[in-house]
Amino acid sequence: MTCAFCLIEPCDGYFSSYCARCHKMQRMIHLFGGEKIMNVLDSVLIVDEPTQKEKIKQELKSELTTREYNLRKRKEDA
């Protein structure tokens, strides 16, 4: 029998309706509340285009800073 939530994984046990992963998500929703879980998912997983572009810029900036530091370090060592 497949999981009633994800419809992919087999169920945990004979009398269970969910797989282990979905059962864990269900416990988190009951523990923290559905609204809080949705807020976290929205802020982490769902990214609009301006935010995505800003994150790309930040990543490129940090990569360039790391490269500059490594180049300076090599010059100092030589």
Side-chain angles (χ1 to χ4, degrees):
M1 191 162 110
T2 60
C3 175
F5 186 72
C6 69
L7 304 173
I8 298 171
E9 299 289 325
C11 291
D12 244 0
Y14 185 75
F15 294 108
S16 179
S17 299
Y18 300 107
C19 65
R21 186 174 30 187
C22 293
H23 198 148
K24 185 175 180 180
M25 285 192 286
Q26 182 188 28
R27 288 192 307 267
M28 284 186 206
I29 290 170
H30 287 294
L31 182 64
F32 297 111
E35 190 65 33
K36 185 171 184 177
I37 298 293
M38 286 305 297
N39 287 339
V40 170
L41 291 174
D42 285 339
S43 67
V44 174
L45 296 178
I46 300 172
V47 181
D48 57 343
E49 192 171 334
T51 307
Q52 187 177 26
K53 287 181 180 180
E54 186 62 35
K55 285 186 177 187
I56 290 170
K57 285 179 186 177
Q58 290 175 356
E59 185 66 30
L60 289 174
K61 185 177 179 180
S62 67
E63 185 178 329
L64 288 173
T65 305
T66 304
R67 284 185 183 178
E68 287 176 11
Y69 175 77
N70 289 339
L71 287 173
R72 286 184 193 154
K73 186 82 170 161
R74 286 182 190 167
K75 284 182 182 180
E76 292 173 0
D77 290 342

